[in-house]
Amino acid sequence: RIKMAGRAQTDRLEKLRKANDQLKREAGLERIKVSEAAKSLIKFCSETKDPLVPSVWGKLDDRDNHYREKGAKCTIL
């Protein structure tokens, strides 16, 4: 029973160390304000044509469609 308690403490300590390491990594990340992120997202969506939303952009040329099939097409009749 003493060994089980020691193992439980070791497991708990390991979890705490992992959580601490994760917090240290996150603390080092560059952060921006939500308002800046929202402005950036709105700008991107306003300037980037999306072929999956033709109601907004209309039908795009194939060269503007990043989802088009590439390569030769094969049709079997």
Side-chain angles (χ1 to χ4, degrees):
R1 205 171 164 110
I2 293 173
K3 288 182 182 180
M4 299 260 311
R7 179 69 178 155
Q9 286 178 336
T10 302
D11 290 345
R12 184 165 185 247
L13 182 59
E14 183 61 28
K15 282 184 180 181
L16 288 171
R17 284 187 177 141
K18 286 182 180 182
N20 192 33
D21 289 342
Q22 180 65 30
L23 289 171
K24 285 179 182 178
R25 283 192 296 276
E26 290 177 12
L29 295 176
E30 181 183 348
R31 302 192 185 271
I32 62 172
K33 294 180 179 180
V34 172
S35 58
E36 291 176 32
K39 285 178 189 176
S40 177
L41 183 58
I42 290 169
K43 182 179 182 226
F44 176 82
C45 291
S46 299
E47 296 175 354
T48 305
K49 294 183 177 182
D50 188 344
L52 299 178
V53 189
S55 62
V56 174
W57 297 106
K59 181 159 175 31
L60 300 180
D61 292 335
D62 281 342
R63 70 180 189 286
D64 294 330
N65 184 350
H66 303 288
Y67 302 103
R68 73 182 181 280
E69 290 185 29
K70 296 178 174 83
K73 295 180 182 177
C74 178
T75 305
I76 300 174
L77 300 175

